[in-house]
Amino acid sequence: MNAAHSPGATRDPGGLGNAAAPRFALPLIVLHWLIALGIIAMLGIGLYMVGLPKGLPFKSTVINFHKSLGMTVFLLVLIRIMARMAYGRPPLPPMRAWQRAAASITQGLLYVGMVAMPLTGYLGSSFNKYGTKFWGLALPQWGWDDAHLRHVFFTIHGVIAWVMIGLIVLHFAGAMKHQLIDRDGLVRRMFP
């Protein structure tokens, strides 16, 4: 047990945690926050655009922006996965086994969602006549105009979106528990 968690150790009330606590490497921190902002934007735009009536002039602009931003976030996620393998992660503070398991499962599912969501969106777009443009550049279309397959992939895409919202809430709630209740410096790992 380290000094910060030994009996009688001084806590850091109101702070971000122990300033000496190990942190993620700066590239991982930057990628975490860029991806987090991108995903939150994507979810907001996605929920907004599905409610737009068909034939609305700017709907295709919103959809194309959603696709381009989604592919950008997907590329950042792939870079983050490689960076995580290269840099590793700092050790977790002492916590109960169920908390460690819950954090591991939540993070694992977030990674699965961050990969599956853009792939299902891209595949859904591949089964229509419009395809996907990445900031104006047409990407390869892996399918043909097929309403049934498009519906299948977009349904999976939508389900993953709601699962991701739940996982983000759990991830945030866990971080706030560590910050406000445990005050164990866990949140500090994700700040430069």
Side-chain angles (χ1 to χ4, degrees):
M1 184 179 277
N2 66 30
H5 300 287
S6 63
T10 313
R11 292 199 170 218
D12 180 21
L16 283 175
N18 181 358
R23 296 186 177 131
F24 279 92
L26 185 60
L28 287 170
I29 294 170
V30 171
L31 286 166
H32 174 272
W33 292 110
L34 285 175
I35 292 167
L37 290 172
I39 288 172
I40 290 167
M42 292 297 303
L43 290 168
I45 294 166
L47 291 172
Y48 170 73
M49 75 183 198
V50 295
L52 292 175
K54 206 171 190 170
L56 198 63
F58 71 92
K59 184 172 182 173
S60 63
T61 303
V62 174
I63 290 171
N64 284 324
F65 179 74
H66 178 80
K67 291 176 182 181
S68 294
L69 185 58
M71 295 305 288
T72 301
V73 171
F74 179 63
L75 292 173
L76 290 174
V77 167
L78 295 179
I79 292 168
R80 177 150 192 234
I81 290 169
M82 290 184 287
R84 175 81 181 269
M85 291 184 333
Y87 290 104
R89 73 174 193 184
L92 290 170
M95 63 179 72
R96 292 183 176 95
W98 73 265
Q99 290 176 320
R100 194 174 293 272
S104 180
I105 291 167
T106 302
Q107 287 176 355
L109 289 173
L110 278 168
Y111 273 104
V112 169
M114 289 187 291
V115 171
M117 193 164 185
L119 288 178
T120 55
Y122 179 63
L123 287 170
S125 292
S126 286
F127 287 101
N128 73 24
K129 60 186 175 188
Y130 304 109
T132 302
K133 289 186 179 172
F134 182 62
W135 304 114
L137 175 68
L139 295 178
Q141 196 161 343
W142 301 104
W144 52 92
D145 194 10
D146 186 316
H148 174 71
L149 287 173
R150 182 171 57 246
H151 175 73
V152 168
F153 283 113
F154 284 150
T155 299
I156 295 168
H157 187 72
V159 168
I160 294 170
W162 286 107
V163 170
M164 287 292 286
I165 290 169
L167 291 169
I168 290 166
V169 168
L170 279 175
H171 184 67
F172 181 77
M176 290 302 94
K177 177 199 174 290
H178 283 280
Q179 176 63 23
L180 302 174
I181 297 170
D182 299 341
R183 298 183 184 221
D184 57 11
L186 185 77
V187 173
R188 182 107 177 123
R189 300 170 355 135
M190 208 34 93
F191 287 93

